Amino acid sequence: MKLFNFLKRKNNKFSQSGQDQFAYNISGSNGTYLEIGAHDPVINSNTFNLEVKCNWNGISVECDKSFQKSWGDNKLRKNNVVWDDAFNINYSSLIKLRELPNRLNYLSCDIEPAENTFNILKKVISSKLDFDFISFEHDKYNIGNKYEDLCINYLKDYNYKVAVKDVYSRNKRYKIYETWFVNNDVDFEEMDYSVWKKECYKSCKFSL
């Protein structure tokens, strides 16, 4: 399988730490996603390249309507955006309405603060949706490991395992802010982000 070289991409048209690349490596082209906390449609986006370059279909959720114009002006992004508080949404109904499967390839959880991110993760998982890959932002660098530990213990009961730990923001090794999980049926051995980043870079075949 070909890999994205996220380290060489410019203009921040990619996710902050290679979440899009990891999702592609796990699930390939024509995947599906649910993105909780969409923010800008391009800058630091976890789903821009998946949608635009890899033909992924999905739904983004964002409550901050100051981003609405940016999404409206972007002609490359066609997938659905729900402009609402993430806690107001019935996710099983939304997925059914958009004719997406109950097993999606990628769940991106990134709202503020970390307590909300954890609570929305529980809401989504309790909707009986499954995923190949979940990226969960816990802001460990800022508030300690409370929500990282809660998330690990919670997802373990729903057949997920840690895939990549100590994910940091680009080259800021002190800024560990996220953990990546995969479903137990995904063949992936746990590793540190610095190792994944190094191995990913070695094996990249092309650059976006």
Side-chain angles (χ1 to χ4, degrees), residues 150-161:
L150 284 171
C151 185
I152 290 171
N153 291 329
Y154 175 77
L155 287 178
K156 187 183 299 183
D157 291 337
Y158 288 89
N159 298 316
Y160 293 91
K161 59 188 177 182

Side-chain angles (χ1 to χ4, degrees), residues 127-188:
S127 299
K128 301 189 183 304
L129 300 177
D130 291 313
F131 304 89
D132 294 345
F133 163 44
I134 298 173
S135 61
F136 175 78
E137 182 163 331
H138 46 61
D139 291 338
K140 182 177 180 177
Y141 75 96
N142 188 36
I143 61 173
N145 61 2
K146 175 180 178 180
Y147 290 102
E148 177 187 36
D149 290 346
L150 284 171
C151 185
I152 290 171
N153 291 329
Y154 175 77
L155 287 178
K156 187 183 299 183
D157 291 337
Y158 288 89
N159 298 316
Y160 293 91
K161 59 188 177 182
V162 174
V164 181
K165 60 183 180 180
D166 292 341
V167 178
Y168 54 82
S169 176
R170 297 199 169 87
N171 293 319
K172 300 176 181 177
R173 289 176 178 264
Y174 65 88
K175 193 174 182 180
I176 295 172
Y177 74 105
E178 201 166 73
T179 299
W180 299 349
F181 299 84
V182 292
N183 200 289
N184 282 340
D185 61 19
V186 174
D187 184 15
F188 192 91

